[in-house]
Amino acid sequence: MWWTRRRSTDPLTRDLEAAIGADSVEGGASARLLYSRDGSIIRGGKAGVVCLPGSTEQVAACVRIARAHGRAFVPRGAGTGLTGGAVPCDDPVVIATTRMDRILEVDVDRRIAWVEPGVVNLDLTSHLAGTGLHFAPDPSSQQACSIGGNVANNSGGPHCLLYGVTSVHVTAVEVVLPDGEVVVLGEEEGDAVGYDLRGAFVGGEGTLGIATRIAVRLTPDPPEVRTLLLDFTTIEEAAETVSAVIAAGIVPAALELMDQQVVQAVEPFADAGYPLDAAAVLIVELDGLPAGAAREAESVAAVARECGARTVRIAEDEEERARIWKGRKGAFGAIANIKPSYYLHDTVIPRTRLAEVVTGVNAIAERHGLIVMNVFHAGDGNLHPLLVFDHREPGVMDHVFAAGEEIVRLSLEVGGVLSGEHGIGLEKRRFMPLLFSPEDLAAQRALRDAFDPDGVANPHKVLPSGASCGDVQDLPEIPEGVWV
Amino acid sequence: MTGSSSPRTGGVLDLRDDALASCVACGLCLPHCPTYRVTGDERRSPRGRIALMRAVDEGATAPDAEWLEAMDTCILCRGCETACPSAVPFGELMSDTRAAVTRTRQVPLRLRVGLAVLVRPRLLRGLSRILALLQRLHLLPGRLPLPGRLPMRDPRQKGRVGGEVVLFTGCVMDAWQPEVHAAVEEVLEACGATVSRSGDAAGCCGALHAHAGLEGAARSLAERVMAAIPEQVPVLVDSAGCGATLRGYGSLVGTPEAAAFSARVQDVHEWLAADIDRMPAATVGKRSTVIVQDPCHLRHAQGCHGSVRTVLAPYADTVELDDEGLCCGAGGAFSVLQPELASEVRLRKTASIRRAMATTGAEAVVSANPGCAIHLAAAGHVVRHPLEVVAERIRGKQGGAHGR
Amino acid sequence: MRGIEDFRDEVGPTGPVCVRGGGTRWELGGTPAHGSREVRAPAGVVAFDPAEMTVVVGAGTPLGELVEVLAGHGQEVALEGPAGATVGGVLAVGRSSLRRLRVGAVRDALLQADCVGADGSLFKAGGPTVKNVTGYDLCRLLVGSLGTLGLIGQVILRTWPSPERTLWMQGSGTPEAVRNLCYRPSSVLWDGRRVSVCLEGYGEDVEAEAAALGSHLGLEVVATAPTLPPHRSRWTGRLAEGSLLEVGTGVVHGPVEEPAPEPGPGVAALAARIRSGFDPGGRLNPGRDPYRIAA
């Protein structure tokens, strides 16, 4: 390649270079600094040497060499994760799959594609243009995140309300196990023979091995899409509408809520015509065959009016629809312009309790003197309370962390869970015992140990352990902001 | 230093504090960065480069060879700025970083020689004629970043003075692609405008000097350009790279006069698109299909790439590329300084062009920037300036293509 | 009503146990080893909130009973089994519904499972919400595990609105031709010549697609789903006489019993580690093995 290098004197680096080429092994200070972080606010990670393999065989070689040198390894995709899942602890070998970015095969008839893990989520859908098919999981980072990362985190997105999260769309996966062995888990179509090891692997956050080839199910584009914008004078009415829509037997393709502060922040650049005086707006998308989509749109409109919706707007054309979504998808960029720092949480609660929990979250923020903004996947109860602040104010961080923990506890109190799509990583492992008993955690440990008996794959993540992750604090010193 | 007067870090690079702090490391820029796309390496990404700037600025890391390589491999296409939800001024950060670097590091000799030639129009034309001769004699390697057929004759045309608009003619483009200026002038005149040329008095815009971090040189070139164009008329530019630079004089020079000058600068397509009705109807030739390549300095730096389509619409059918405006790898002197990386980046662009050709049958690419045109032509594509295509349809004679 | 704690006490900490549901597929994957104590999971719908679209139900509940409760509110689950099958049994076997293309795989229906582990203590997999990535996905691992990793006592399932209209059609044609005419049919079965299609959804939509299938392919409406041949195997690319392919699910229903495919050595070793990790003494459903099921 284009840069020349000296031969490394470090035996681990030398072995890695011999196996996958010097151009694919980086041990310099700059590389180690950058690969010590991901998209999260967590700092203090410490990468050993960084590998950028180009094939399954090279990934397996990296894993085996790391082990031979008594080192752990940390898999990494695009590094857009929000819970520190790719933050390395204690000098491990970082194995980034970004160079494995080929779409290997698209079978339009059987609606299956084989991709390498470094393929960017949105690139697959772009590649499918004209086939009438798309890849359904659409996390808000979809323009940057990789499908390998989606597999590791079992990623969601607005449209997984109807279509299901990543696990539903991954049918088989080739994995380099933590001992360097290569296996294929799952089947291209249908249920697994034997244990659903594919299902267990997806969402493993890189602690069960490294996905090197992935078979994904492709979803037909809906013939009809109706996008509704509903606005409310209280956030409670909006939340009640969410429950009422589900209770009416309608599962929209997407059902998103934005509160007033978010609406006011995004309207100037989205030009979507969001009512600025509304306490909350809902974006409801209904798709499918024409008659059903039309009837569901009518039902949603009626339910919303009954719940107190002030106006119900149906996007007239694709351009109007795009503008409505532009505001939702750009929400976090706009927020970054209000305050320099923000900290985003991700919990799920029963969707019948949205109103009371959102009220509770707002009260928590107020008590701590923080601004909270709500923009989230309301349809499946997936909250994303966003604490907005200026980290330069003295003492504000204590309030941010305290409020964050209170939000987590409130979510659990009403029967919720710790994460809907961002995962546990380093960020939330200390909360795991709040949701799971020691026996529950032992069962999860049994799964992990079966995949990784020696604990070399992405250690310190997901499950709480006595050990700390090198210099990483449980929570970071200076959050620099995150997005969803 | 560029940028507004908000507080600076006071660190090793002395960057603007707010600019540096505005990156939240979300990574949305990654796929929009051409060098990250082809390397998959965080050090070749905007997010990575900003983190590295911060580390050096704070003194946490030394600006060693690895670090410098990370900065040198940035094409400065600013595709990341368009993608960034937090509006991080990446171009400003990178320019300031390079300026800080050149205060302690010599600019490579071949670049210094090249830049010295650019600001001497007569020398540039003389050398160009020698190159043209060598080219005719097939004594030049085929893959040099040069137009397919350099002009032999002195391409200068006596510029009118007192025109309603000034056409900025620059350096390399004036010497190597005079037919583009001629076509642009023809189109402008067909629209009823009288055109003056900036000519040798204005000379080079200083884009490459600024890219290289030679801030002082860039600033004095800016002064020269502004002094040479005192008229209070629109300054039209047919090279996206020069246009972006001229528009940045306000912040580069930092005076109200410079800001006023920058405000008068328009890309020629933007000016034409603003009053499309005055453009004459196509009278000759056949309506062709052309693939539109957006120069980064039009799309990301000036945000007026839509105008190219507006202006072409009456004369040709346009085809879009499917790579969301990813840089072609030309990047001013980038293709000379980082030839291998530039070629890798170009591979993605040429693959996209081939897909567009295969599905639409289009054969020519249009690009509103000479650097992109030369870089793509060197890969075997037929590349033309959009206004050459327009000029041909209103006069009916073949304009020169840069391809082979 | 017997609760989950009673089930735990019944299982106890020692001795081989096998859990019995409806006994409808008792020999699948091997019969329980001799001397195993038979236990039964608690039965009954514990809680159903239609507005939440989740239901809490004892694993020993007959599936028919659950279906009836849900139907009262216009909802359904992705579980399907022979008459008399229990909720836990259907989950343990892990075979998806014939209408899988609409309702989803059975493995995607299980949100939370309260299980008795090999040491006799209760453990919980998953959580009560419809979306959840908190920790490892043990639920999907439990589905289809034949009770070898834990004995499912009580579960929370995701429910869906029932279709307004269901229509089966049949006639000569190919799956490709059907796919070109229908958006998302609930089921497409093919015997190499004839195709059966299940259309579900809103009445007008179903009728419009049925009309298209009728006029373009000559398919005719039939009263029920076709009768399936008794044995299942995995689709290998060819269809034997008398077999029916479930298009898009990789399952072939055939007249002859086919052997289960051998897992590769790496997968077999991993599966063995998982089983021994959850059940070191081999006391949970000894004699049964999910890898002995052909499909």
Side-chain angles (χ1 to χ4, degrees):
Chain A
M1 281 227 179
W2 49 85
W3 61 88
T4 51
R5 59 179 61 247
R6 286 173 303 154
R7 236 178 112 69
S8 174
T9 51
D10 166 46
L12 167 67
T13 307
R14 254 202 337 256
D15 285 356
L16 288 167
E17 286 180 351
I20 70 169
D23 292 339
S24 305
V25 182
E26 312 295 339
S30 292
R32 281 186 290 122
L33 174 88
L34 297 182
Y35 285 89
S36 295
R37 306 167 174 183
D38 58 9
S40 74
I41 55 179
I42 294 165
R43 294 290 178 270
K46 201 172 170 206
V49 60
V50 180
C51 298
L52 299 163
S55 66
T56 303
E57 294 68 35
Q58 291 196 350
V59 172
C62 294
V63 167
R64 283 195 298 265
I65 291 166
R67 289 189 59 119
H69 288 267
R71 301 281 278 273
F73 66 88
V74 173
R76 177 185 173 103
T80 57
L82 295 170
T83 61
V87 172
C89 308
D90 305 327
D91 279 353
V93 173
V94 174
I95 302 174
T97 55
T98 42
R99 285 189 182 165
M100 298 171 68
D101 63 349
R102 290 176 302 165
I103 295 169
L104 300 169
E105 188 190 330
V106 175
D107 187 335
V108 172
D109 285 339
R110 293 168 69 217
R111 293 176 176 164
I112 294 164
W114 277 97
V115 301
E116 289 189 320
V119 171
V120 172
N121 175 302
L122 194 58
D123 283 359
L124 177 56
T125 289
S126 307
H127 182 83
L128 294 168
T131 62
L133 301 171
H134 68 283
F135 181 53
D138 62 340
S140 296
S141 60
Q142 73 178 133
Q143 58 168 300
C145 63
S146 67
I147 295 178
N150 296 162
V151 169
N153 287 292
N154 195 7
S155 303
H159 288 83
C160 71
L161 173 59
L162 178 62
Y163 292 101
V165 292
T166 298
S167 185
V168 175
H169 301 277
V170 169
T171 65
V173 53
E174 178 188 82
V175 175
V176 173
L177 292 173
D179 62 3
E181 174 137 24
V182 180
V183 294
V184 176
L185 309 178
E187 306 283 338
E188 282 190 349
E189 289 183 317
D191 298 318
V193 171
Y195 295 126
D196 185 9
L197 300 173
R198 169 214 64 89
F201 179 82
V202 175
E205 300 195 31
T207 65
L208 307 180
I210 304 180
T212 47
R213 288 196 311 141
I214 301 153
V216 297
R217 213 157 60 103
L218 306 176
T219 304
D221 300 340
E224 181 80 25
V225 180
R226 297 278 177 120
T227 306
L228 276 65
L229 184 70
L230 316 172
D231 89 88
F232 300 86
T233 48
T234 68
I235 197 164
E236 287 78 12
E237 286 169 350
E240 277 158 24
T241 302
V242 174
S243 304
V245 166
I246 304 289
I250 295 168
V251 180
L255 178 40
E256 304 282 307
L257 187 149
M258 298 195 284
D259 73 11
Q260 184 170 27
Q261 310 212 57
V262 177
V263 165
Q264 290 181 351
V266 299
E267 177 60 19
F269 97 100
D271 195 23
Y274 300 141
L276 295 177
D277 58 341
V281 303
L282 288 178
I283 299 170
V284 190
E285 192 152 283
L286 304 149
D287 69 19
L289 290 164
R295 274 176 55 186
E296 288 188 342
E298 275 167 37
S299 305
V300 168
V303 165
R305 285 202 189 90
E306 237 163 73
C307 292
R310 202 170 50 168
T311 56
V312 174
R313 199 175 110 201
I314 300 183
E316 296 283 333
D317 51 29
E318 184 54 35
E319 196 216 327
E320 191 176 353
R321 173 174 178 258
R323 276 206 311 274
I324 289 174
W325 275 110
K326 184 182 173 192
R328 165 61 184 93
K329 293 196 170 168
F332 289 85
I335 286 163
N337 298 327
I338 297 173
K339 287 264 185 177
S341 323
Y342 51 108
Y343 186 20
L344 176 66
H345 282 267
D346 164 46
T347 66
V348 192
I349 56 160
R351 41 199 169 184
T352 44
R353 305 192 66 172
L354 276 175
E356 63 176 288
V357 175
V358 169
T359 308
V361 166
N362 291 346
I364 290 170
E366 194 175 335
R367 207 161 51 241
H368 287 280
L370 300 168
I371 298 173
V372 65
M373 303 176 92
N374 290 290
V375 42
F376 59 89
H377 313 308
D380 37 29
N382 191 179
L383 296 182
H384 286 320
L386 185 75
L387 299 172
V388 186
F389 56 94
D390 187 337
H391 65 262
R392 291 169 292 202
E393 287 169 20
V396 72
M397 295 316 303
D398 296 338
H399 286 290
V400 169
F401 297 141
E405 181 159 346
E406 284 176 45
I407 289 169
V408 167
R409 287 179 184 273
L410 172 63
S411 301
L412 296 184
E413 271 166 31
V414 301
V417 297
L418 291 174
S419 175
E421 52 185 22
H422 296 175
I424 301 302
L426 283 171
E427 184 205 20
K428 282 193 173 139
R429 57 182 191 150
R430 71 195 176 107
F431 295 132
M432 288 286 275
L434 297 178
L435 184 63
F436 294 116
S437 71
E439 291 78 17
D440 303 342
L441 292 171
Q444 296 196 32
R445 170 63 68 186
L447 170 71
R448 180 174 185 157
D449 288 349
F451 275 87
D452 181 21
D454 305 319
V456 295
N458 209 4
H460 306 287
K461 310 293 166 59
V462 185
L463 296 178
S465 68
S468 71
C469 168
D471 297 330
V472 174
Q473 311 296 314
D474 257 343
L475 283 169
E477 293 154 10
I478 306 169
E480 292 176 60
V482 283
W483 51 279
V484 59
Chain B
M1 290 283 164
T2 55
S4 73
S5 57
S6 63
R8 310 195 74 93
T9 58
V12 175
L13 302 173
D14 197 28
L15 303 172
R16 197 160 58 80
D17 201 11
D18 283 354
L20 197 56
S22 59
C23 174
V24 299
C26 68
L28 283 198
C29 54
L30 297 176
H32 303 279
C33 173
T35 55
Y36 175 80
R37 269 286 187 171
V38 299
T39 61
D41 185 338
E42 280 277 347
R43 296 171 303 173
R44 305 286 176 264
S45 78
R47 169 172 78 172
R49 289 180 175 121
I50 290 174
L52 291 176
M53 288 173 196
R54 191 179 285 141
V56 162
D57 192 59
E58 291 168 352
T61 306
D64 57 7
E66 182 192 13
W67 185 91
L68 286 167
E69 179 101 45
M71 300 303 141
D72 289 344
T73 49
C74 172
I75 311 180
L76 261 176
C77 70
R78 293 163 67 181
C80 51
E81 289 190 15
T82 308
C84 179
S86 301
V88 174
F90 182 86
E92 178 202 323
L93 287 169
M94 181 53 78
S95 297
D96 286 357
T97 298
R98 288 200 177 159
V101 166
T102 49
R103 284 197 287 274
T104 56
R105 182 184 68 163
Q106 274 279 27
V107 172
L109 180 67
R110 58 192 168 134
L111 180 57
R112 267 184 295 151
V113 169
L115 294 176
V117 172
L118 293 188
V119 301
R120 291 171 176 80
R122 289 171 61 183
L123 178 62
L124 174 60
R125 278 193 294 271
L127 290 174
S128 296
R129 245 179 287 174
I130 296 170
L131 284 173
L133 184 64
L134 292 173
Q135 202 174 39
R136 303 288 193 283
L137 297 171
H138 301 284
L139 292 173
L140 288 181
R143 296 279 142 171
L144 277 186
L146 292 173
R149 194 172 168 83
L150 285 165
M152 286 289 289
R153 287 184 306 110
D154 183 344
R156 269 177 308 163
Q157 298 185 8
K158 275 275 170 269
R160 212 175 295 147
V161 287
E164 292 161 57
V165 295
V166 172
L167 177 63
F168 180 79
T169 46
C171 52
V172 175
M173 204 171 173
D174 202 30
W176 290 1
Q177 302 179 328
E179 68 280 6
V180 172
H181 288 329
V184 170
E185 206 166 50
E186 200 177 330
V187 172
L188 289 171
E189 282 168 354
C191 293
T194 54
V195 185
S196 318
R197 288 188 171 213
S198 63
D200 283 358
C204 173
C205 68
L208 300 188
H209 304 75
H211 271 209
L214 295 166
E215 227 177 37
R219 209 175 285 131
S220 46
L221 286 172
E223 302 280 9
R224 186 171 94 178
V225 168
M226 292 190 289
I229 313 175
E231 306 97 308
Q232 298 294 311
V233 295
V235 178
L236 304 188
V237 190
D238 56 9
S239 150
C242 305
T245 307
L246 262 55
R247 281 185 152 165
Y249 282 175
S251 54
L252 176 70
V253 179
T255 60
E257 294 74 28
F261 178 85
S262 284
R264 291 210 309 278
V265 176
Q266 272 188 295
D267 181 77
V268 64
H269 304 92
E270 197 180 4
W271 189 83
L272 289 169
D275 190 0
I276 192 76
D277 292 338
R278 74 188 149 189
M279 291 189 72
T283 51
V284 286
K286 276 209 317 222
R287 195 175 170 84
S288 62
T289 304
V290 293
I291 297 165
V292 183
Q293 184 263 357
D294 287 326
C296 298
H297 285 101
L298 208 58
R299 181 170 174 138
H300 304 304
Q302 301 188 64
C304 60
H305 52 298
S307 301
V308 172
R309 291 150 180 80
T310 310
V311 168
L312 276 172
Y315 310 98
D317 294 321
T318 54
V319 175
E320 299 295 332
L321 292 173
D322 59 4
D323 64 354
E324 294 181 58
L326 204 69
C327 176
C328 70
F334 187 82
S335 58
V336 179
L337 297 170
Q338 303 278 343
E340 287 177 62
L341 189 49
S343 301
E344 296 247 350
V345 169
R346 184 173 57 193
L347 280 178
R348 288 189 70 94
K349 182 64 78 181
T350 53
S352 179
I353 290 173
R354 284 208 194 90
R355 285 194 293 274
M357 288 168 74
T359 50
T360 65
E363 283 175 358
V365 179
V366 294
S367 175
N369 192 49
C372 307
I374 292 168
H375 189 55
L376 291 173
H381 292 291
V382 176
V383 191
R384 322 193 55 198
H385 194 279
L387 294 188
E388 284 186 287
V389 174
V390 173
E392 211 172 275
R393 302 250 15 229
I394 56 183
R395 77 175 117 118
K397 91 179 181 227
Q398 232 21 35
H402 313 308
R404 278 171 283 201
Chain C
M1 198 171 92
R2 247 173 103 244
I4 183 84
E5 281 81 13
D6 302 312
F7 181 51
R8 176 195 60 198
D9 295 344
E10 187 188 344
V11 173
T14 53
V17 287
C18 59
V19 63
R20 190 176 179 95
T24 56
R25 291 178 280 195
W26 192 235
E27 269 101 49
L28 206 61
T31 44
H34 259 302
S36 316
R37 190 156 45 87
E38 230 175 70
V39 294
R40 285 170 188 271
V45 176
V46 179
F48 173 44
D49 183 352
E52 200 60 59
M53 283 199 186
T54 60
V55 61
V56 187
V57 61
T61 312
L63 180 58
E65 191 181 317
L66 173 64
V67 167
E68 208 168 292
V69 169
L70 300 180
H73 294 271
Q75 296 187 15
E76 61 175 358
V77 280
L79 277 57
E80 189 181 279
T86 61
V87 168
V90 170
L91 292 169
V93 168
R95 287 179 173 170
S96 293
S97 160
L98 192 61
R99 296 163 53 237
R100 174 190 171 139
L101 299 183
R102 175 188 171 91
V103 298
V106 62
R107 68 193 184 206
D108 298 330
L110 180 62
L111 300 175
Q112 179 179 317
D114 295 330
C115 305
V116 182
D119 65 355
S121 63
L122 282 171
F123 76 87
K124 174 181 77 180
T129 56
V130 293
K131 195 174 180 189
N132 181 14
V133 293
T134 313
Y136 296 103
D137 195 343
L138 294 182
C139 282
R140 285 190 168 87
L141 187 65
L142 287 164
V143 172
S145 69
L146 287 178
T148 58
L149 308 178
L151 307 182
I152 302 176
Q154 181 174 303
V155 294
I156 303 179
L157 301 171
R158 180 175 194 165
T159 68
W160 291 95
S162 304
E164 182 181 280
R165 182 86 192 272
T166 297
L167 199 67
W168 277 93
M169 300 186 79
Q170 212 171 61
S172 299
T174 63
E176 290 74 28
V178 170
R179 192 171 43 226
N180 291 338
L181 292 167
C182 301
Y183 169 48
R184 293 179 81 176
S186 298
S187 185
V188 179
L189 302 169
W190 192 54
D191 69 1
R193 286 181 299 275
R194 291 173 66 77
V195 68
S196 299
V197 185
C198 180
L199 300 174
E200 292 186 308
Y202 289 93
E204 305 95 298
D205 291 329
V206 169
E207 273 147 32
E209 289 202 325
L213 288 176
S215 62
H216 288 87
L217 300 182
L219 263 52
E220 287 175 356
V221 175
V222 290
T224 55
T227 310
L228 300 175
H231 299 289
R232 288 163 58 109
S233 59
R234 285 205 68 81
W235 166 245
T236 54
R238 85 196 150 75
L239 210 49
E241 190 60 35
S243 297
L244 263 182
L245 169 67
E246 259 185 68
V247 176
T249 72
V251 175
V252 173
H253 301 266
V256 186
E257 189 167 358
E258 303 277 346
E262 276 298 314
V267 169
L270 176 58
R273 287 202 301 272
I274 286 181
R275 186 162 185 172
S276 66
F278 279 83
D279 181 18
R283 66 177 291 245
L284 302 179
N285 286 296
R288 304 195 79 171
D289 179 2
Y291 285 91
R292 280 159 58 188
I293 304 177

